[in-house]
Amino acid sequence: MKPLEGKIGLVAGVANKRSIAWAIAQAWHDAGAQLIFTYQGDRLKENVEQLAGTFGEDTMMLPCDVCSDEQVEGVFDLVKEKHGKLDLLLHSIAFAPKDALEGEFINTTREAFKVAHDVSAYSLVAMARGAAPLMTEGGSIVAMSYYGAEKVVPHYNVMGVAKASLEASTRYLAYDLGPQKIRVNCISAGPMNTLAARGISGFTSMLKHYEAHAPLKRNVMPEELGATGVFLAGEGSAAMTGQVLYVDSGYQIMGMY
Ligand code: NAD
Ligand code: 0WE
């Protein structure tokens, strides 16, 4: 029997085939889970239909802008109607206005700070609140983070502060939901060549930096995030909650580089 056979999972954050959410979705699917997808809006509908459509005609795909309480709540109402329960939730969503990732952190506007935290951190709380009542047999919630949450990465700026909030939210959610056997963990991934990374100036040199300085002397492959996603969804991690797991070729352990 496959490790996630009989599990129902909701995946939020697929934009295209390079998305980390898609890598983890494929791994969850291969492990036997049945998946539901949410996408940000009409702009991404076709992409998600093309990718997730390969999992079968009746794969549920729903628009969900995480800035809208109504849309987030509506998604879980529909999941309840169709499946009656939920076992897994992947949160793979982040956004900060482009300007905020270019200059200095000190110039972050109130609005950019608000948007970054709303989309990238609060949305995990809102989605966990929607998901928890459906996780009647326990569950696993996984969110994506990055090293900029704990150390200064130039230009990551307000996103780093929002990821720190996401990681702290993971711990508080883990405490709240533990009694219901719902676990909440983060994967802190090394830099990945996705839509969210493209257009970040100096991103290519960042990949090179990891190759040169991370203990494993290489970058992370999407399938490796998928495998960690399966681990966090499954029985192997049954006693782990509130954690941040580094899938970063070991970069996070280094002091002098
Ligand atoms: P991506 O662009 O493929 O995914 C980001 C997703 O966020 C997109 O699907 C986008 O539609 C969604 N999103 C943004 N605003 C939204 C909103 N208001 N409502 C709903 N969805 C919204 O890029 P990715 O690299 O796969 O990013 C996924 C996650 O992984 C993010 O949390 C990111 O911070 C994290 N991460 C990325 C890297 C990297 O180097 N790419 C490294 C570590 C962590
Ligand atoms: O979390 C991220 C990026 C998330 C992201 C990306 C964008 C680009 C387009 C959030 N908001 C936006 N807004 C946009 O308008 N990563 C971990 C990838 C990333 O982004 C960086 C990095 C790394 C790594 C930005 C600066 C420095 C390093």
Side-chain angles (χ1 to χ4, degrees), residues 110-168:
R110 192 183 298 276
E111 182 62 17
F113 191 100
K114 201 173 87 176
V115 169
H117 284 74
D118 189 18
V119 175
S120 314
Y122 179 73
S123 61
L124 177 68
V125 183
M127 292 195 86
R129 193 166 55 246
L134 301 185
M135 293 182 160
T136 48
E137 302 162 9
S140 177
I141 300 177
V142 178
M144 296 307 306
S145 194
Y146 174 64
Y147 186 58
E150 62 177 274
K151 288 289 193 294
V152 173
V153 174
H155 303 302
Y156 199 58
N157 294 358
V158 72
M159 267 312 306
V161 181
K163 288 300 191 191
S165 169
L166 179 79
E167 291 184 4

Side-chain angles (χ1 to χ4, degrees), residues 2-257:
K2 293 178 180 176
L4 302 181
E5 197 92 56
K7 304 280 188 203
I8 312 282
L10 188 142
V11 172
V14 176
N16 59 34
K17 67 174 199 290
R18 293 196 142 146
S19 294
I20 291 170
W22 179 237
I24 294 175
Q26 286 176 94
W28 278 4
H29 172 81
D30 291 346
Q34 183 173 346
L35 300 181
I36 300 141
F37 291 83
T38 67
Y39 53 89
Q40 186 178 359
D42 287 339
R43 197 167 46 83
L44 295 173
K45 185 174 183 181
E46 257 183 58
N47 282 3
V48 174
E49 280 176 348
Q50 217 166 59
L51 292 167
T54 61
F55 292 170
E57 285 279 292
D58 68 334
T59 304
M60 206 172 177
M61 297 173 222
L62 304 164
C64 180
D65 183 325
V66 294
C67 294
S68 157
D69 286 329
E70 293 73 38
Q71 286 186 39
V72 172
E73 287 163 15
V75 160
F76 293 100
D77 289 342
L78 290 170
V79 170
K80 182 173 185 171
E81 245 174 61
K82 171 146 186 203
H83 293 284
K85 69 145 187 174
L86 190 66
D87 303 285
L88 314 173
L89 171 65
L90 175 67
H91 176 287
S92 186
I93 289 172
F95 180 79
K98 189 137 183 66
D99 294 351
L101 302 175
E102 286 174 344
E104 293 180 52
F105 174 67
I106 198 171
N107 292 323
T108 307
T109 63
R110 192 183 298 276
E111 182 62 17
F113 191 100
K114 201 173 87 176
V115 169
H117 284 74
D118 189 18
V119 175
S120 314
Y122 179 73
S123 61
L124 177 68
V125 183
M127 292 195 86
R129 193 166 55 246
L134 301 185
M135 293 182 160
T136 48
E137 302 162 9
S140 177
I141 300 177
V142 178
M144 296 307 306
S145 194
Y146 174 64
Y147 186 58
E150 62 177 274
K151 288 289 193 294
V152 173
V153 174
H155 303 302
Y156 199 58
N157 294 358
V158 72
M159 267 312 306
V161 181
K163 288 300 191 191
S165 169
L166 179 79
E167 291 184 4
S169 299
T170 295
R171 292 186 281 273
Y172 281 89
L173 290 169
Y175 175 71
D176 282 354
L177 299 176
Q180 293 160 244
K181 281 178 45 184
I182 300 170
R183 302 181 294 104
V184 191
N185 295 286
C186 282
I187 300 174
S188 184
M192 307 295 294
N193 196 1
T194 64
L195 187 63
R198 213 175 303 159
I200 305 288
S201 67
F203 188 76
T204 309
S205 59
M206 203 152 157
L207 293 172
K208 290 233 162 70
H209 181 84
Y210 269 67
E211 267 177 38
H213 299 285
L216 295 176
K217 302 293 178 237
R218 65 173 180 85
N219 281 290
V220 175
M221 296 182 293
E223 307 76 49
E224 296 172 322
L225 298 178
T228 305
V230 170
F231 170 70
L232 283 177
E235 279 308 296
S237 62
M240 297 173 62
T241 193
Q243 296 299 312
V244 179
L245 278 74
Y246 292 85
V247 182
D248 66 346
S249 306
Y251 187 84
Q252 187 265 349
I253 67 169
M254 298 305 294
M256 195 175 145
Y257 64 101

